[in-house]
mmCIF file of all heavy atoms in Angstrom:
data_model
loop_
_atom_site.group_PDB
_atom_site.id
_atom_site.type_symbol
_atom_site.label_atom_id
_atom_site.label_comp_id
_atom_site.label_asym_id
_atom_site.label_seq_id
_atom_site.Cartn_x
_atom_site.Cartn_y
_atom_site.Cartn_z
ATOM 1 N N VAL A 255 20.331 2.339 -5.822
ATOM 2 C CA VAL A 255 19.929 2.884 -4.531
ATOM 3 C C VAL A 255 19.520 1.704 -3.657
ATOM 4 O O VAL A 255 18.736 0.855 -4.071
ATOM 5 C CB VAL A 255 18.750 3.881 -4.665
ATOM 6 C CG1 VAL A 255 18.258 4.327 -3.295
ATOM 7 C CG2 VAL A 255 19.151 5.094 -5.502
ATOM 8 N N VAL A 256 20.085 1.661 -2.453
ATOM 9 C CA VAL A 256 19.739 0.640 -1.465
ATOM 10 C C VAL A 256 19.102 1.359 -0.283
ATOM 11 O O VAL A 256 19.688 2.300 0.257
ATOM 12 C CB VAL A 256 20.977 -0.160 -0.997
ATOM 13 C CG1 VAL A 256 20.583 -1.189 0.061
ATOM 14 C CG2 VAL A 256 21.682 -0.816 -2.168
ATOM 15 N N LEU A 257 17.920 0.922 0.077
ATOM 16 C CA LEU A 257 17.191 1.530 1.191
ATOM 17 C C LEU A 257 17.014 0.496 2.292
ATOM 18 O O LEU A 257 16.368 -0.524 2.101
ATOM 19 C CB LEU A 257 15.825 2.039 0.712
ATOM 20 C CG LEU A 257 15.857 3.026 -0.454
ATOM 21 C CD1 LEU A 257 14.438 3.392 -0.877
ATOM 22 C CD2 LEU A 257 16.659 4.267 -0.096
ATOM 23 N N GLU A 258 17.607 0.774 3.426
ATOM 24 C CA GLU A 258 17.574 -0.139 4.569
ATOM 25 C C GLU A 258 16.649 0.440 5.640
ATOM 26 O O GLU A 258 16.873 1.548 6.115
ATOM 27 C CB GLU A 258 18.998 -0.306 5.113
ATOM 28 C CG GLU A 258 19.117 -1.203 6.295
ATOM 29 C CD GLU A 258 20.540 -1.260 6.840
ATOM 30 O OE1 GLU A 258 21.478 -0.782 6.170
ATOM 31 O OE2 GLU A 258 20.700 -1.779 7.956
ATOM 32 N N SER A 259 15.616 -0.290 5.980
ATOM 33 C CA SER A 259 14.617 0.145 6.963
ATOM 34 C C SER A 259 13.959 1.457 6.541
ATOM 35 O O SER A 259 13.922 2.426 7.292
ATOM 36 C CB SER A 259 15.246 0.304 8.354
ATOM 37 O OG SER A 259 15.844 -0.889 8.780
ATOM 38 N N PRO A 260 13.405 1.495 5.315
ATOM 39 C CA PRO A 260 12.832 2.745 4.816
ATOM 40 C C PRO A 260 11.380 2.959 5.232
ATOM 41 O O PRO A 260 10.716 2.064 5.750
ATOM 42 C CB PRO A 260 12.909 2.562 3.297
ATOM 43 C CG PRO A 260 12.645 1.102 3.122
ATOM 44 C CD PRO A 260 13.340 0.438 4.298
ATOM 45 N N TYR A 261 10.928 4.151 4.956
ATOM 46 C CA TYR A 261 9.546 4.553 5.191
ATOM 47 C C TYR A 261 9.048 5.199 3.899
ATOM 48 O O TYR A 261 9.821 5.446 2.975
ATOM 49 C CB TYR A 261 9.476 5.563 6.350
ATOM 50 C CG TYR A 261 10.486 6.674 6.185
ATOM 51 C CD1 TYR A 261 10.167 7.829 5.479
ATOM 52 C CD2 TYR A 261 11.784 6.551 6.685
ATOM 53 C CE1 TYR A 261 11.098 8.833 5.275
ATOM 54 C CE2 TYR A 261 12.720 7.544 6.490
ATOM 55 C CZ TYR A 261 12.371 8.684 5.789
ATOM 56 O OH TYR A 261 13.303 9.670 5.584
ATOM 57 N N THR A 262 7.770 5.475 3.820
ATOM 58 C CA THR A 262 7.204 6.090 2.621
ATOM 59 C C THR A 262 7.485 7.588 2.591
ATOM 60 O O THR A 262 7.963 8.119 1.599
ATOM 61 C CB THR A 262 5.687 5.851 2.576
ATOM 62 O OG1 THR A 262 5.130 6.199 3.843
ATOM 63 C CG2 THR A 262 5.375 4.405 2.254
ATOM 64 N N ASN A 263 7.189 8.262 3.676
ATOM 65 C CA ASN A 263 7.474 9.688 3.843
ATOM 66 C C ASN A 263 7.546 9.947 5.345
ATOM 67 O O ASN A 263 7.098 9.122 6.142
ATOM 68 C CB ASN A 263 6.422 10.567 3.143
ATOM 69 C CG ASN A 263 5.030 10.311 3.645
ATOM 70 O OD1 ASN A 263 4.717 10.588 4.803
ATOM 71 N ND2 ASN A 263 4.183 9.738 2.793
ATOM 72 N N ILE A 264 8.091 11.073 5.718
ATOM 73 C CA ILE A 264 8.360 11.315 7.138
ATOM 74 C C ILE A 264 7.070 11.417 7.960
ATOM 75 O O ILE A 264 7.033 11.026 9.116
ATOM 76 C CB ILE A 264 9.275 12.546 7.342
ATOM 77 C CG1 ILE A 264 9.960 12.499 8.705
ATOM 78 C CG2 ILE A 264 8.518 13.835 7.160
ATOM 79 C CD1 ILE A 264 10.998 11.429 8.841
ATOM 80 N N ARG A 265 6.001 11.909 7.354
ATOM 81 C CA ARG A 265 4.725 11.996 8.081
ATOM 82 C C ARG A 265 4.217 10.592 8.424
ATOM 83 O O ARG A 265 3.805 10.334 9.559
ATOM 84 C CB ARG A 265 3.696 12.764 7.269
ATOM 85 C CG ARG A 265 2.382 12.964 8.019
ATOM 86 C CD ARG A 265 1.359 13.720 7.158
ATOM 87 N NE ARG A 265 0.107 13.843 7.852
ATOM 88 C CZ ARG A 265 -0.232 14.841 8.659
ATOM 89 N NH1 ARG A 265 0.613 15.836 8.855
ATOM 90 N NH2 ARG A 265 -1.403 14.865 9.259
ATOM 91 N N ASP A 266 4.250 9.671 7.450
ATOM 92 C CA ASP A 266 3.840 8.294 7.716
ATOM 93 C C ASP A 266 4.732 7.650 8.771
ATOM 94 O O ASP A 266 4.253 6.921 9.641
ATOM 95 C CB ASP A 266 3.902 7.445 6.445
ATOM 96 C CG ASP A 266 2.775 7.734 5.479
ATOM 97 O OD1 ASP A 266 1.825 8.470 5.828
ATOM 98 O OD2 ASP A 266 2.850 7.213 4.339
ATOM 99 N N ALA A 267 6.023 7.919 8.679
ATOM 100 C CA ALA A 267 6.954 7.333 9.652
ATOM 101 C C ALA A 267 6.631 7.826 11.061
ATOM 102 O O ALA A 267 6.523 7.026 11.994
ATOM 103 C CB ALA A 267 8.394 7.674 9.278
ATOM 104 N N ALA A 268 6.452 9.131 11.210
ATOM 105 C CA ALA A 268 6.155 9.690 12.535
ATOM 106 C C ALA A 268 4.819 9.182 13.070
ATOM 107 O O ALA A 268 4.663 8.968 14.269
ATOM 108 C CB ALA A 268 6.163 11.215 12.465
ATOM 109 N N ALA A 269 3.861 8.983 12.175
ATOM 110 C CA ALA A 269 2.543 8.504 12.601
ATOM 111 C C ALA A 269 2.567 7.036 12.998
ATOM 112 O O ALA A 269 1.668 6.575 13.704
ATOM 113 C CB ALA A 269 1.527 8.717 11.477
ATOM 114 N N ASN A 270 3.587 6.296 12.556
ATOM 115 C CA ASN A 270 3.613 4.849 12.780
ATOM 116 C C ASN A 270 4.717 4.347 13.694
ATOM 117 O O ASN A 270 4.705 3.175 14.058
ATOM 118 C CB ASN A 270 3.727 4.125 11.434
ATOM 119 C CG ASN A 270 2.422 4.136 10.693
ATOM 120 O OD1 ASN A 270 1.527 3.367 10.988
ATOM 121 N ND2 ASN A 270 2.297 5.045 9.740
ATOM 122 N N ILE A 271 5.672 5.186 14.040
ATOM 123 C CA ILE A 271 6.731 4.675 14.906
ATOM 124 C C ILE A 271 6.164 4.403 16.298
ATOM 125 O O ILE A 271 5.297 5.132 16.785
ATOM 126 C CB ILE A 271 7.964 5.611 14.963
ATOM 127 C CG1 ILE A 271 7.593 7.004 15.479
ATOM 128 C CG2 ILE A 271 8.655 5.688 13.630
ATOM 129 C CD1 ILE A 271 8.786 7.902 15.704
ATOM 130 N N PRO A 272 6.598 3.340 16.916
ATOM 131 C CA PRO A 272 6.022 2.928 18.199
ATOM 132 C C PRO A 272 6.066 3.999 19.291
ATOM 133 O O PRO A 272 5.154 4.070 20.108
ATOM 134 C CB PRO A 272 6.870 1.707 18.587
ATOM 135 C CG PRO A 272 7.320 1.154 17.287
ATOM 136 C CD PRO A 272 7.547 2.357 16.400
ATOM 137 N N ILE A 273 7.067 4.842 19.288
ATOM 138 C CA ILE A 273 7.186 5.837 20.353
ATOM 139 C C ILE A 273 6.017 6.824 20.360
ATOM 140 O O ILE A 273 5.680 7.402 21.382
ATOM 141 C CB ILE A 273 8.549 6.570 20.283
ATOM 142 C CG1 ILE A 273 8.851 7.246 21.598
ATOM 143 C CG2 ILE A 273 8.577 7.550 19.134
ATOM 144 C CD1 ILE A 273 10.275 7.728 21.723
ATOM 145 N N THR A 274 5.361 6.997 19.220
ATOM 146 C CA THR A 274 4.231 7.931 19.159
ATOM 147 C C THR A 274 2.898 7.265 19.471
ATOM 148 O O THR A 274 1.873 7.940 19.523
ATOM 149 C CB THR A 274 4.131 8.607 17.769
ATOM 150 O OG1 THR A 274 3.862 7.611 16.775
ATOM 151 C CG2 THR A 274 5.383 9.387 17.430
ATOM 152 N N LYS A 275 2.898 5.968 19.693
ATOM 153 C CA LYS A 275 1.644 5.226 19.875
ATOM 154 C C LYS A 275 0.772 5.821 20.977
ATOM 155 O O LYS A 275 -0.423 6.012 20.795
ATOM 156 C CB LYS A 275 1.940 3.752 20.162
ATOM 157 C CG LYS A 275 0.705 2.896 20.205
ATOM 158 C CD LYS A 275 1.040 1.437 20.362
ATOM 159 C CE LYS A 275 -0.229 0.607 20.274
ATOM 160 N NZ LYS A 275 0.042 -0.802 20.344
ATOM 161 N N ILE A 276 1.346 6.129 22.089
ATOM 162 C CA ILE A 276 0.571 6.650 23.210
ATOM 163 C C ILE A 276 -0.024 8.029 22.894
ATOM 164 O O ILE A 276 -1.098 8.381 23.366
ATOM 165 C CB ILE A 276 1.409 6.688 24.507
ATOM 166 C CG1 ILE A 276 0.499 6.937 25.708
ATOM 167 C CG2 ILE A 276 2.508 7.713 24.414
ATOM 168 C CD1 ILE A 276 1.171 6.702 27.038
ATOM 169 N N TYR A 277 0.664 8.796 22.071
ATOM 170 C CA TYR A 277 0.222 10.165 21.781
ATOM 171 C C TYR A 277 -0.820 10.239 20.669
ATOM 172 O O TYR A 277 -1.520 11.239 20.548
ATOM 173 C CB TYR A 277 1.420 11.035 21.409
ATOM 174 C CG TYR A 277 2.448 11.079 22.497
ATOM 175 C CD1 TYR A 277 3.647 10.392 22.371
ATOM 176 C CD2 TYR A 277 2.216 11.798 23.671
ATOM 177 C CE1 TYR A 277 4.595 10.411 23.390
ATOM 178 C CE2 TYR A 277 3.151 11.820 24.695
ATOM 179 C CZ TYR A 277 4.337 11.126 24.548
ATOM 180 O OH TYR A 277 5.251 11.146 25.560
ATOM 181 N N ARG A 278 -0.918 9.202 19.851
ATOM 182 C CA ARG A 278 -1.838 9.215 18.710
ATOM 183 C C ARG A 278 -3.292 9.388 19.121
ATOM 184 O O ARG A 278 -4.093 9.896 18.357
ATOM 185 C CB ARG A 278 -1.700 7.923 17.901
ATOM 186 C CG ARG A 278 -0.391 7.816 17.178
ATOM 187 C CD ARG A 278 -0.312 6.514 16.402
ATOM 188 N NE ARG A 278 1.067 6.039 16.453
ATOM 189 C CZ ARG A 278 1.435 4.784 16.403
ATOM 190 N NH1 ARG A 278 0.549 3.827 16.265
ATOM 191 N NH2 ARG A 278 2.704 4.460 16.466
#
C-alpha cells in the first residue's frame, strides 16, 4: 500500500486543512 499525502482520519483532515482555518 502506497499512501501519497495521507491523513489519519477524515475528521482530523477536515479540522486541519487550511481552508477551514477561518471557521475553526
Side-chain angles (χ1 to χ4, degrees):
V255 174
V256 178
L257 304 177
E258 179 184 348
S259 303
Y261 49 89
T262 49
N263 58 66
I264 201 70
R265 184 181 177 90
D266 286 351
N270 285 281
I271 59 173
I273 198 168
T274 64
K275 187 175 185 177
I276 192 168
Y277 301 106
R278 291 180 216 151

